[in-house]
């Protein structure tokens, strides 16, 4: 019901004219006038699954708004059902004496709902959709050890957004990593370079080495990788101070806090997930200079970390230090949410103000038209 409610909010959302969903709506309108064969001339190979899905939605007669409705619904559903899998499996096997079932359910639900970014799910569509499937596949694999399901669902996620390929590759690499004193030293160095905003040297060194190979396979994106790229480091040069604070510090606040866990604590309960998060965080620090890449993997790390934290809490005694950590981590998520509410404040009243007296069912025939978009200069936040 929660997932469906969020999907209905996506269906009725009137976006800013600069949001990704505007570009998606334009593409969906195009899909209504092209054949299935012509569809494969649109976009890159890794976009095909999402394009086929959107094309099918449009061509069976449903409105373009049904795409964000269904994608948001499915994304929330996968994140919440993954949470349920962890709760069921961990309490069935551990019979924890340290923490109550109700406490973990309430805490986990609070953390997950605060971390799933509705605006990214309903506007960007593909990235959160893709990672929701991969997160489910990863947690399912941890409990079942079924490689086939992991690979099959990962391929589906990759076909929706290429970021899932990077997530899968890092997972495979993490199998060969041990959290030793040396690797933890690397982690600590990366963490403080990240906090100080000094990871650009590492990033551009790596990009310069990889550029020929990335270009060969059509995976070099100047807007993400160049120093003046509009969606990379150059993005911050175009923003005012409020937007800069939100993008660089408020959005990443939960990531800063979550990253501390592997510095403050040891002897983790789930070795597979702890190794993955350990390597994933180091990767994130190296690409953090690129605003878009950081944003895509930031929340993905945090939501996986929430799953990991719940496993830790179910299977171990909660020390005073952990209680302080949970409080600060929860505060960071609330801060991020408040920042998002302020950033997208114009959307709330325009899109859902009439829900106080108009049931969703009467809004089903409403269609979002371009003249309704909320005008906002890209630099105004």
């Amino acid at each position: 019901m929660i997932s469906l409610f969020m999907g209905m909010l996506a269906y009725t959302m009137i976006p800013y004219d600069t949001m990704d969903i505007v570009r998606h709506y334009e593409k969906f309108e195009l899909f209504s006038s092209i054949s299935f064969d012509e569809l494969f001339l649109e976009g890159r190979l890794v976009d095909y699954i999402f394009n086929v899905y959107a094309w099918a939605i449009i061509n069976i007669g449903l409105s373009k708004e049904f795409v964000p409705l269904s994608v948001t619904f499915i994304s929330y559903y996968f994140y919440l059902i993954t949470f349920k899998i962890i709760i069921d499996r961990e309490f069935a096997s551990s019979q924890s004496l340290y923490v109550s079932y109700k406490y973990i359910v309430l805490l986990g639900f609070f953390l997950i709902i605060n971390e799933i970014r509705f605006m990214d799910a309903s506007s960007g569509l593909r990235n959160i959709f893709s990672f929701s499937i991969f997160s489910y596949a990863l947690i399912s694999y941890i409990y079942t050890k079924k490689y086939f399901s992991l690979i099959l669902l990962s391929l589906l996620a990759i076909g929706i957004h290429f970021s899932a390929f990077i997530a899968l590759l890092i997972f495979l690499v993490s199998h060969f990593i041990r959290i030793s004193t040396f690797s933890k030293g690397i982690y600590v160095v990366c963490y403080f370079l990240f906090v100080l905003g000094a990871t650009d040297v590492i990033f551009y060194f790596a990009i310069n080495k990889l550029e020929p190979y990335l270009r060969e396979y059509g995976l070099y994106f100047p807007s993400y990788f160049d120093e003046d790229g509009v969606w990379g480091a150059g993005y911050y040069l175009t923003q005012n101070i409020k937007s800069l604070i939100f993008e660089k510090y408020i959005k990443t606040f939960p990531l800063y806090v979550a990253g501390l866990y592997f510095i403050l604590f040891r002897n983790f309960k789930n070795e597979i997930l702890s190794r993955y998060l350990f390597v994933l965080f180091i990767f994130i620090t190296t690409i953090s200079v690129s605003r878009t890449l950081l944003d895509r993997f930031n929340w993905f790390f945090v939501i996986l970390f929430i799953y990991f934290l719940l496993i830790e809490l179910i299977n171990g005694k909660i020390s005073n230090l952990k209680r302080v950590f949970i409080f600060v981590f929860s505060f960071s998520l609330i801060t991020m949410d408040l920042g998002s509410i302020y950033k997208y404040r114009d959307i709330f009243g325009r899109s859902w103000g009439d829900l106080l007296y108009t049931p969703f069912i009467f809004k089903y025939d409403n269609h979002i038209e371009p003249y309704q978009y909320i005008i906002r200069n890209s630099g105004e936040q």
Side-chain angles (χ1 to χ4, degrees):
M1 290 301 296
I2 291 169
S3 302
L4 182 59
F5 176 75
M6 303 310 291
M8 289 301 297
L9 289 181
Y11 182 88
T12 55
M13 184 181 74
I14 299 173
Y16 289 119
D17 61 328
T18 56
M19 293 177 75
D20 286 342
I21 191 63
V22 171
R23 173 172 51 85
H24 286 305
Y25 279 159
E26 291 173 354
K27 180 185 285 188
F28 300 158
E29 294 288 357
L30 172 66
F31 286 168
S32 65
S33 61
I34 64 176
S35 67
F36 185 77
D37 292 338
E38 292 174 307
L39 178 67
F40 292 91
L41 301 176
E42 298 289 328
R44 297 168 294 144
L45 176 62
V46 293
D47 297 327
Y48 285 162
I49 291 179
F50 180 80
N51 284 351
V52 167
Y53 174 71
W55 181 90
I57 292 296
I58 301 301
N59 283 276
I60 63 175
L62 293 171
S63 66
K64 67 183 187 301
E65 291 83 8
F66 191 82
V67 180
L69 184 157
S70 57
V71 166
T72 303
F73 166 77
I74 295 170
S75 299
Y76 270 84
Y77 181 81
F78 269 117
Y79 285 125
L80 291 172
I81 203 69
T82 302
F83 167 51
K84 184 179 185 302
I85 289 172
I86 291 173
I87 296 297
D88 291 346
R89 291 278 190 158
E90 291 298 328
F91 273 99
S93 62
S94 72
Q95 297 180 339
S96 175
L97 302 176
Y98 300 107
V99 63
S100 73
Y101 181 91
K102 289 182 179 179
Y103 172 77
I104 289 295
V105 170
L106 290 174
L107 176 65
F109 180 75
F110 168 80
L111 296 176
I112 290 168
I113 287 297
N114 275 276
E115 176 55 20
I116 302 175
R117 300 179 186 175
F118 170 77
M119 290 300 177
D120 288 351
S122 59
S123 175
L125 300 181
R126 296 186 304 124
N127 187 229
I128 283 188
F129 188 21
S130 171
F131 276 152
S132 70
I133 296 171
F134 182 77
S135 299
Y136 171 80
L138 178 64
I139 297 301
S140 296
Y141 166 76
I142 287 173
Y143 289 113
T144 65
K145 300 300 186 294
K146 293 181 179 179
Y147 267 110
F148 180 76
S149 296
L150 172 65
I151 298 302
L152 185 64
L153 288 172
S154 296
L155 291 175
L156 175 62
I158 292 167
I160 295 170
H161 200 284
F162 186 73
S163 296
F165 174 77
I166 300 174
L168 176 62
L169 184 62
I170 294 171
F171 176 69
L172 297 176
V173 170
S174 71
H175 274 280
F176 304 98
I177 301 296
R178 294 292 179 269
I179 304 178
S180 62
T181 302
F182 177 73
S183 60
K184 199 163 186 176
I186 294 175
Y187 183 97
V188 171
V189 170
C190 288
Y191 181 87
F192 284 103
L193 286 175
F194 176 47
V195 171
L196 295 172
T199 57
D200 54 333
V201 175
I202 301 174
F203 177 77
Y204 291 118
F205 174 80
I207 286 297
N208 288 336
K209 296 293 183 182
L210 295 173
E211 182 176 349
Y213 307 101
L214 294 173
R215 287 190 182 278
E216 183 179 352
Y217 294 101
L219 298 175
Y220 187 87
F221 307 108
S223 59
Y224 295 165
F225 299 150
D226 289 356
E227 292 189 44
D228 58 350
V230 293
W231 296 113
Y235 172 84
Y236 301 112
L237 302 176
T238 66
Q239 304 302 300
N240 61 29
I241 187 64
K242 289 187 292 185
S243 180
L244 190 64
I245 291 173
F246 176 75
E247 294 292 339
K248 291 200 75 170
Y249 303 107
I250 295 178
K251 245 186 176 182
T252 55
F253 189 14
L255 179 63
Y256 289 132
V257 178
L260 272 176
Y261 193 91
F262 295 96
I263 298 176
L264 297 175
F265 302 101
R266 60 180 65 187
N267 300 323
F268 310 117
K269 306 303 177 183
N270 191 292
E271 187 178 353
I272 295 175
L273 196 51
S274 62
R275 285 202 314 261
Y276 182 49
L277 288 169
F278 190 87
V279 178
L280 181 61
F281 186 84
I282 292 176
F283 168 78
I284 291 172
T285 62
T286 61
I287 54 91
S288 60
V289 68
S290 175
R291 179 261 180 182
T292 301
L293 295 178
L294 171 61
D295 197 42
R296 284 178 179 168
F297 286 94
N298 167 15
W299 67 267
F300 173 61
F301 175 91
V302 174
I303 202 159
L304 284 183
F305 174 79
I306 291 171
Y307 295 146
F308 167 76
L309 179 63
L310 296 175
I311 295 171
E312 290 281 292
L313 296 179
I314 293 170
N315 290 281
K317 188 175 181 180
I318 303 178
S319 64
N320 289 333
L321 181 58
K322 278 190 179 179
R323 288 190 177 92
V324 173
F325 178 88
I326 292 168
F327 174 79
V328 175
F329 183 56
S330 300
F331 176 76
S332 71
L333 290 172
I334 294 171
T335 302
M336 181 193 67
D337 277 347
L338 292 175
S340 296
I341 290 171
Y342 177 77
K343 179 177 181 179
Y344 300 109
R345 59 195 179 277
D346 299 323
I347 292 177
F348 289 85
R350 187 81 67 87
S351 301
W352 308 302
D354 59 354
L355 287 180
L356 296 173
Y357 52 85
T358 305
F360 265 133
I361 191 66
F362 295 112
K363 296 171 70 69
Y364 180 75
D365 288 332
N366 290 358
H367 300 296
I368 309 300
E369 302 296 343
Y371 72 85
Q372 296 177 279
Y373 298 157
I374 303 170
I375 305 300
R376 171 181 246 178
N377 295 328
S378 59
E380 291 183 3
Q381 303 296 337

